[in-house]
Amino acid sequence: MFLGTQTIPSKTFIGKSLTMSFAQNRTSELWRSFMPERKIIPDIIGTELYSMEVYPKDFHAAFDATREFEKWAAVEVSNGTAAPEGMTILITPAGQYAVFLHKGPASDGPKTYGYIFGEWLPKSGYQLDNRPHFAVMGEKYKNDDPASEEEIWIPIK
């Protein structure tokens, strides 16, 4: 479900990242590594978790399930916060995002992304921008529970 567009300022995140592809998805491995250590991160803003993707330029021009990208498990922190050992800082530039609500299990995510990239974006008048994509997992996120909810933020221009 399309919630609207939002322009956000630059944000600072601390987390862990792994290089992966859709064919060689390592998301579970990433989150298993991050979750036990997230409590050592100082100056966290809010309670949300962020699943972020940093794609190479023109990644979405033609779908290739084997093409690699960087995926992050992260939290938002105050600007200037130092990353604990074993973690990295990711600063996202300011910009406009299309925001969508995904309801249902995480395993149904491909349906939501199919709608975003196959239907909504081509008809929207917007173009995909080359900035990080992210999902915001707040209080209503319950992983593979049918009642789970998360916001999906797609960078647009």
Side-chain angles (χ1 to χ4, degrees):
M1 170 191 324
F2 177 59
L3 298 177
T5 62
Q6 286 193 33
T7 300
I8 61 172
S10 175
K11 293 179 176 266
T12 303
F13 297 89
I14 291 179
K16 291 188 171 189
S17 66
L18 285 175
T19 298
M20 65 182 75
S21 67
F22 289 114
Q24 296 291 321
N25 191 325
R26 301 172 64 195
T27 302
S28 294
E29 175 187 347
L30 174 63
W31 282 97
R32 278 194 308 273
S33 170
F34 175 72
M35 289 302 283
E37 297 180 27
R38 77 185 189 284
K39 292 179 173 46
I40 65 171
I41 301 170
D43 305 322
I44 295 174
I45 296 173
T47 59
E48 296 84 5
L49 298 170
Y50 291 80
S51 177
M52 309 177 78
E53 296 89 23
V54 179
Y55 296 107
K57 192 170 178 81
D58 298 326
F59 180 88
H60 292 90
F63 183 74
D64 177 354
T66 64
R67 189 160 180 207
E68 292 185 330
F69 60 93
E70 192 174 84
K71 185 146 189 174
W72 286 73
V75 292
E76 185 179 1
V77 297
S78 301
N79 190 20
T81 302
E85 187 175 331
M87 296 198 194
T88 309
I89 294 172
L90 174 65
I91 298 174
T92 60
Q96 189 174 23
Y97 281 83
V99 184
F100 300 85
L101 180 63
H102 171 74
K103 288 185 177 185
S107 58
D108 282 352
K111 292 177 190 173
T112 301
Y113 284 98
Y115 164 74
I116 293 168
F117 291 107
E119 294 181 42
W120 184 85
L121 189 60
K123 296 175 185 174
S124 70
Y126 292 103
Q127 292 179 314
L128 200 56
D129 200 1
N130 190 28
R131 289 179 282 118
H133 298 222
F134 57 90
V136 181
M137 298 171 292
E139 291 178 7
K140 294 183 179 180
Y141 180 75
K142 296 175 179 67
N143 196 10
D144 236 10
D145 187 306
S148 184
E149 293 185 16
E150 65 187 283
E151 290 181 355
I152 298 171
W153 291 61
I154 306 296
I156 55 173
K157 59 184 177 178

